[in-house]
Every structure is written in structure tokens, then in C-alpha cells.
Amino acid sequence: MAAFLYRMGRLAFRRRWTVALVWAAVLAAVGLAGMTAPEAEEEPFAMPGIESQEAFDLMEERFPGAAADGATARVVFVSPNGEKVTATENKKAVEAAIAELGDGTQVESTVDPYESGAVSEDGLTAYTTVTYEVDAAGLTDASRSHLEESLEHARDSGLTVEAGGDAMEDMGGPSGTAEAIGISVAAVVLLITFGSLAAAGLPLLTALIGVGISLFAITALAGPLGLADTTSTVAIMLGLAVGIDYALFIVSRYREERAKGRTAQEAVALATGTAGSAVVFAGLTVVIALAGLSVVGIPMLTEMGLGAAGAVVVGVLIALTLVPAFLGFWPNAILTRKDRKARRAGGTPRETRKVNGGTRWASFVLRRPLPVLLAAVAGLGALALPMTDLQLGMPGDEAKSTQTTQRRAYDALAEGFGPGFNGPLTVVVDAKDADDPKAAAGTVSERIGGTEGVVSVSPAQFNESGDTAVFSVVPTTAPTGQETKDLVNTIRGDRPGIESEAGATFEVTGTTAMNIDVSEKVQSALVPYLLVVVGLAVILLLVVFRSILVPLKAAAGFLLSVLASLGAVVVVFQQGHGADLLGVETTGPIMSLMPIFLVGIVFGLAMDYEVFLVSRMREAYVHGERPAQAVTSGFQHSARVVVAAALIMIAVFSGFIGDSDAMIKMIGFGLASAVLLDAFVVRMAIVPAVLALLGERAWWLPKWLDRILPRVDVEGEALTRPAESEAEPAEKDLARA
């Protein structure tokens, strides 16, 4: 592996114009394809294999056209000063507002609350539902403006008027604020790390090129493959983070080799052969983790994982080819100012210092490995404890800021009609084989209506064929409450008796039931996903490090960091400790997809740091250093760069904490805390402590396993011979390949 990448880096340096033009052509081609691709249609969220999805599919089949995904806005009217909304003046104001709402160009219908009974028992609250002809993505700016203006006109009458529903959601694309924050902080970190504008700018430039290629490719494929917007968002986030990191490691090794007096061409080849090997295997672990999301069986997660994995592959290829080519264009500009002055004066740059912050920290850990290990494990264990209280769900408007009209509408409906009103269950009765479909639906409705925890059941609505009925069930408790989950399980548990009595079958769906089913499916898929991803990564690291214990240690350290980060998410977003500092106004269940999403992304990134840090230790050990010396050498050369890479990752993810959406805050906080814990506690403390305690045993591998494992030479043993002697044959070999 190292020898092949050495030849690749050398060829990219010598054929730099060709390499640069090829990548420019690729960017132009995918850019043209992306800009001319037809706009992708918004795909509805789907979750195969759960009851609520099957019930929804049955509704679409039996009620053709009725289950269309038209946008809705639920407008709530609250009378002032304890007056009734049925009072003459208030009623006139409500009816005038409904009439104005119905005048929108894309409005299909509105509902009169006084005729439909949508007035609370105390008479203080009423609501209407505005249904549009198109889905939320298809609403024009004019329709949204008309809706907002109608709400403002209604408020002028003295009524409190708020609105929720998907028509109120901001359908604009990502603002790019988080990415801008990440790039800005990354630039500062790179400048401090390298002390050179060129060295700081090169990783940013190549990462942006990679992200551009990935984004245009996803845009071009979005229509034919039906990819969601989240696919490109995650690809941008990860493509930017790993693109900067991978280029950072190549450039850092290049400067190290130049400091030893090597020519620019030789330094590029050696950097690509050694650091490039680590980049390849680090990238593979990320790809495994992301592609493994397909194991969960959630189409949206599969798309996100594969899209991000593609962005990582592009980042690896650019690091191995375009970065060496750019180093060929500016071989000395990458060096520090002092090093450039030394070369102009006819000398050579100073070699990397033997003692730096990394070596001092490594020496500290090596002197007291057991206390450091126990303290780190105890700290992560304490952070992970709240995980035992983890509650999964899909937060809705109740998780939004009280500054939003959606949240205020949610609260007004909960106060006027009860907490369960915001999350009704939908029951679909399949009476196709029943002798009397109406009687069968009535029996199901009556039995469910008598279940403890049910406030009311709406009249059943039949399809044209009269063989399928749908009705709503309003629980007594909030959509995300445990009691509501128990109610759904109770209704489903009583199903055999109810179906036997009614002579018809039924299923429970609706947003609330869908969220419950999604949470249960994700929880059941988490362990198989972990087994697949961690198992494959352990095998890969076994090949890289040729050790049994090092890959197992890496996996155990990852589990500690991800559990601790999930515990931190529970503490803030579920239990509410420190929530005010992040602007979280309402606590509740953790987003269902959060654990598996966090595991998938953080595992790949954690293995990045493991490969980059430990590969330098392995390289030193293979070249003759004692285990303790090898740990110190690894930290001497890699600690500063790993810290810089982690800070860049944290900056990219922390940018999302400032978002107004609670779920985006949660994702940003979870990823940032996971990287922080993994890089600075696991890799910087637990890894050297464990290796110090293991000594020679850390690199033990049974002879029979050593014989059958492929040799990939990540340490660059094949590069110890003079590279110049085989430069030309190497280039010819690569050209033939």
C-alpha cells in the first residue's frame, strides 16, 4: 500500500498540470450535470416494515386522492380578556379571518369552526384548518405571504391568532451559516497550526473542491434516485470536515519530510506513501460506518449514509492526488516563514523539534498510565450514566421556541382542547371481508373509545367502496408522553379480541403512532448496526495495525465516547440541565434517529483519529523503537495535527448549536461533544495509557493469523530504501497500472 501510494504521489507531483486539469474537468462536468438536472420531487417520509406505514399505505390505496400530501395550516383563535370566541364581535372577526385565508391562490378549502364544532368547551378557543392544493414544498412565496398577512389582519381585531402545520415551516434551503462558521474557525486553526497562509489555505481549497464535486453529483442524482435534501446537507458537513482533515495530514507530513532535508518531490512521495496510507484506511472506516446505516432499513438514513460516504471517497481521492499536485505548484510556499528564509539563505529548514507539547503530554501519561486510564474511564462512565434514562421520540412543535407561532399554537390548542389534541391517532378499519362494514367499524370505534386514556373518537369516514373506514382517536396525554405510547400499545394489544368481535381488521397510524414505531424500530436496529460496523472496522484495523488488542481497544474507546456524548445529550435536552445556555426552552424525548445517526458519523471520525495517531506509533515501533518510545514518537509527530483536526470538526458541528430548531441544536451538540470526548479523552489519554500498560503485548499477533492477513504496509517499510533509485521504474509501474 505505502509503495503504491508513494508512486502515486510522485506521479501526481510530476504530472501536476494533468492532475489539476482532470479534477477541474470533473468539477465542471458534475457541475454542469447538477445545474441542468431537473428539480427533484419531494419524497414523503417512509418507513417500511412498521404498522403505521402499512396503515398509511392502505389509506392511499383505498382512499385514492384523499391522502394527498397537501400542505395544511391550523390557525388557532383565542379570545381576549376571558371573552368567548362565540361572542358576536369575536365571531365576526374569526369568520372574516377565515374568509381572507380562503382567498389564497393555492388554498383548496377552509373549515368553519362554528359549524364543525372546533370550539373548546370553555368557549375561549377555536381553530380552523386551511388545506392547500400542493404540498409544503410547492407553496409559492405569494401563498406564504398571504397566510402571514391574513394572520396579522386577524390579530388587529384583538384576538390572539397563532398557526401551526407544515405550511408554516420554513422551506428555504440551508443558510450556510454553520458551514461558514466551520470554515472560518478551520482557517484560524490551520493558520495557527502551520504558521503559513498557503499551508492553511491548501486544505480548505481542496476540501471545498471535493465538497463541490459531491454536492453537484448528489444534485444531479437527486431526481432519478429521489434523494432528500438531508442527503446533501450531511454530505457537505462530512465532506468538508474529512476533506480538511485528510489534506491536513498529507501537508503536515510533507512539511516534516522537507524539514529532514528532502527534496519537494521526494517529500510529496513519502507523505503520500505514509500519511496517505492512514488517509485510505481512515476513509474506509468512515465509509463502512456511513454505508452501514443501510442496515437500519430506513430509506432516508440509507440515502444520507451513502451520499456522505461518496463525499468521503471523493475527499480521499483528492487528498491522494490533488493535494500532491498542488504541493508541486507551491513546494516552498507551504513551509513556514523561517523555513523559507533558511532555504533562500542556502540552508535547510529546521527539523521537527524532539520535544513539543505532544511529547510532554505522552511522557506525563507514560509515567502514570493507570491513574490517567482510571480517571478517563470514570469520567466518561459518569457522563454515560444518564443514557439509562434515554427516551426516544420525534419532537414536534412543542420543541420549538416560544418565540415561534407554531409553538404558541401548539400550547393554545393543548390548553383549550387537552394535551392529546395535538397528536391524535388515526385508526384504519379494513372491513372488506365483513358482512356489515358500518357495523364492524362502529364496533372497533366503540371498543377503542372505551379504552382508558382516550378522550374522544371522531365519526368514521368511509371510502367510496364502503369497505374501509378511518377515524381519529384523541388521547388524554401529549404526543411525546410515555402514557400515549402505552395507549398505542394497549390498543394494538387488544386487537385480537376487537377484530374477532367486529369481523374486520384495523391498524393504528398517524404522526404520533408513526413516531412511536420509528423509535422502536431504531432501538431494535441499533445493536445489529453496532455489531456490523464495529465488527468490520475491527477487522480492517486488524489488517492495518497487525495487532489483536489495538483494534479492540479502539472499538471499546469509541463505545465509551459515543455513550458519554449521548449521556450529555440526555442531560441537556431531556433532563434540562444547562439547557438555557444553549437556548433550549423545552426538554423532551431525544430525536429517534439521533443515537444511530451519532453512532454512524462519530464512529467513522473516531477511527480517523485512531488511525492517524496510532499508525505513527506503529511506524516507529516497526522501525525499531521500544513500545514506550513509539508512543512518544507518535505523539511528537501527530498530536498537534490531531488536535487541530478535532478542533476543526468541533467548530463545524458547533455551528449548528446556534440554530433555532431544537433538533438541529441536538445534532450539533451531540456531534461536537462526541468529537471532543473522543479526540481529547479517548485518543489523547486512554490510548497512550493502555498502550503503556500493555507494552510489547499491544502489538502481539498470533503467527497463524499473521500468515493469513494481507500485508498493506501502512508503516512504509518499503520506503526506507532510497526512493530516488526506483523513481523512474515506479512511475512506469503506475502508468502501466
Side-chain angles (χ1 to χ4, degrees):
M1 172 66 75
F4 175 78
L5 293 177
Y6 172 94
R7 295 193 292 267
M8 178 183 288
R10 191 181 184 92
L11 183 62
F13 182 94
R14 302 181 73 176
R15 301 286 186 267
R16 45 189 172 273
W17 279 108
T18 302
V19 172
L21 290 174
V22 166
W23 278 110
V26 170
L27 178 60
V30 295
L32 181 62
M35 288 186 289
T36 58
E39 187 174 350
E41 295 184 6
E42 187 74 16
E43 293 288 332
F45 179 80
M47 179 71 71
I50 59 176
E51 177 178 327
S52 51
Q53 182 66 53
E54 293 170 355
F56 183 79
D57 293 341
L58 180 63
M59 287 176 59
E60 287 193 319
E61 177 187 340
R62 301 287 177 87
F63 292 83
D69 297 321
T72 60
R74 190 151 65 173
V75 183
V76 188
F77 304 94
V78 181
S79 56
N81 305 320
E83 300 174 6
K84 305 290 185 182
V85 289
T86 51
T88 303
E89 291 301 320
N90 291 332
K91 185 176 181 180
K92 285 182 180 179
V94 171
E95 289 177 338
I98 294 173
E100 184 177 357
L101 287 166
D103 286 339
T105 55
Q106 293 179 301
V107 174
E108 182 177 293
S109 64
T110 56
V111 178
D112 188 324
Y114 303 104
E115 295 180 2
S116 63
V119 179
S120 62
E121 290 185 6
D122 59 13
L124 301 177
T125 309
Y127 73 90
T128 183
T129 301
V130 182
T131 304
Y132 291 86
E133 299 171 345
V134 296
D135 61 14
L139 286 177
T140 63
D141 291 339
S143 293
R144 293 181 186 278
S145 298
H146 177 266
L147 173 58
E148 293 171 0
E149 290 170 2
S150 300
L151 297 180
E152 287 299 326
H153 294 162
R155 292 181 183 121
D156 293 340
S157 67
L159 295 170
T160 298
V161 184
E162 308 294 349
D166 57 355
M168 298 300 299
E169 297 294 336
D170 181 12
M171 301 304 294
S175 64
T177 303
E179 289 82 353
I181 292 173
I183 292 174
S184 301
V185 175
V188 173
V189 171
L190 289 168
L191 188 58
I192 293 173
T193 302
F194 287 131
S196 163
L197 285 173
L202 180 61
L204 290 174
L205 175 61
T206 54
L208 289 173
I209 292 173
V211 167
I213 291 172
S214 301
L215 180 59
F216 283 129
I218 290 172
T219 303
L221 296 173
L225 300 182
L227 302 179
D229 291 340
T230 50
T231 304
S232 58
T233 302
V234 176
I236 291 172
M237 182 171 61
L238 283 182
L240 185 63
V242 302
I244 294 174
D245 279 5
Y246 294 164
L248 169 65
F249 282 101
I250 299 287
V251 172
S252 177
R253 187 60 183 259
Y254 168 78
R255 285 171 37 128
E256 181 183 327
E257 297 299 333
R258 290 297 303 274
K260 295 176 181 177
R262 302 189 192 278
T263 64
Q265 180 173 276
E266 181 66 11
V268 165
L270 287 170
T272 309
T274 52
S277 297
V279 166
V280 169
F281 285 98
L284 278 176
T285 58
V286 180
V287 169
I288 288 173
L290 293 171
L293 288 171
S294 57
V295 173
V296 184
I298 301 175
M300 183 180 73
L301 270 183
T302 301
E303 293 172 4
M304 289 166 56
L306 294 178
V312 172
V313 170
V314 172
V316 170
L317 293 175
I318 282 182
L320 297 178
T321 56
L322 190 58
V323 170
F326 279 172
L327 289 173
F329 287 121
W330 304 288
N332 293 328
I334 301 300
L335 306 179
T336 64
R337 183 178 300 175
K338 289 183 179 180
D339 292 344
R340 293 196 301 272
K341 287 179 66 176
R343 286 194 172 276
R344 284 195 296 268
T348 58
R350 51 185 171 80
E351 192 170 348
T352 305
R353 292 173 295 173
K354 295 297 181 183
V355 177
N356 56 23
T359 57
R360 286 191 289 270
W361 171 251
S363 299
F364 172 82
V365 176
L366 290 173
R367 287 196 301 271
R368 36 185 86 74
L370 191 57
V372 170
L373 177 62
L374 293 177
V377 171
L380 292 177
L383 277 175
L385 275 178
M387 260 286 294
T388 57
D389 188 38
L390 177 67
Q391 297 175 7
L392 296 181
M394 291 294 286
D397 287 346
E398 78 281 359
K400 296 183 184 297
S401 167
T402 52
Q403 303 301 313
T404 64
T405 186
Q406 296 98 315
R407 169 64 186 277
R408 293 195 294 266
Y410 179 96
D411 291 342
L413 288 169
E415 183 177 351
F417 297 90
F421 186 80
N422 284 294
L425 307 174
T426 301
V427 177
V428 185
V429 181
D430 184 358
K432 197 171 186 178
D433 298 327
D435 296 332
D436 187 346
K438 289 189 176 181
T443 300
V444 174
S445 176
E446 182 180 352
R447 287 289 303 275
I448 291 178
T451 304
E452 184 179 356
V454 173
V455 173
S456 62
V457 176
S458 70
Q461 302 292 323
F462 282 84
N463 63 345
E464 291 184 5
S465 303
D467 58 6
T468 307
V470 175
F471 60 86
S472 295
V473 178
V474 178
T476 58
T477 51
T480 57
Q482 180 62 36
E483 298 87 349
T484 304
K485 180 179 179 180
D486 294 338
L487 173 62
V488 172
N489 292 332
T490 298
I491 293 174
R492 289 172 173 171
D494 294 340
R495 179 164 28 215
I498 298 175
E499 290 181 342
S500 177
E501 181 180 343
T505 62
F506 73 88
E507 292 174 316
V508 182
T509 187
T511 302
T512 300
M514 176 72 80
N515 292 341
I516 292 170
D517 290 347
V518 169
S519 299
E520 291 180 349
K521 179 164 184 175
V522 169
Q523 282 181 304
S524 64
L526 186 56
V527 172
Y529 173 69
L530 274 174
L531 290 176
V532 170
V533 171
V534 174
L536 289 174
V538 166
I539 293 172
L540 184 64
L541 294 179
L542 187 67
V543 173
V544 174
F545 296 127
R546 309 196 72 78
S547 162
I548 294 289
L549 297 179
V550 170
L552 294 177
K553 167 198 61 64
F558 155 73
L559 290 175
L560 269 176
S561 61
V562 79
L563 289 176
S565 63
L566 279 173
V569 170
V570 170
V571 167
V572 175
F573 291 89
Q574 185 175 304
Q575 298 176 351
H577 303 294
D580 292 342
L581 298 176
L582 300 181
V584 179
E585 299 183 14
T586 302
T587 58
I590 304 305
M591 184 179 65
S592 299
L593 301 180
M594 182 67 184
I596 209 156
F597 183 76
L598 189 68
V599 167
I601 292 180
V602 174
F603 180 80
L605 301 182
M607 293 304 102
D608 268 9
Y609 304 133
E610 178 76 13
V611 170
F612 287 127
L613 187 61
V614 180
S615 63
R616 289 308 298 262
M617 299 178 190
R618 171 74 181 174
E619 181 180 337
Y621 178 76
V622 167
H623 291 161
E625 293 187 11
R626 302 294 299 165
Q629 292 176 308
V631 171
T632 303
S633 294
F635 270 82
Q636 175 194 343
H637 295 296
S638 298
R640 189 181 184 191
V641 183
V642 168
V643 167
L647 289 176
I648 290 169
M649 292 272 191
I650 293 169
V652 171
F653 297 142
S654 295
F656 293 92
I657 298 177
D659 198 281
S660 60
D661 190 292
M663 288 187 289
I664 301 299
K665 282 181 183 289
M666 192 183 300
I667 291 172
F669 177 81
L671 292 175
S673 60
V675 171
L676 175 68
L677 295 172
D678 193 88
F680 292 99
V681 180
V682 175
R683 309 303 154 190
M684 291 292 172
I686 292 179
V687 166
V690 171
L691 291 178
L693 291 171
L694 290 175
E696 295 277 358
R697 295 185 298 275
W699 309 109
W700 172 77
L701 185 69
K703 290 184 178 179
W704 64 268
L705 188 56
D706 185 53
R707 287 193 299 270
I708 64 175
L709 283 179
R711 293 190 176 274
V712 295
D713 187 23
V714 177
E715 303 82 21
E717 289 181 273
L719 306 181
T720 55
R721 60 183 177 273
E724 292 292 341
S725 62
E726 61 171 20
E728 294 304 323
E731 185 177 336
K732 292 176 181 178
D733 289 345
L734 184 59
R736 285 197 296 270

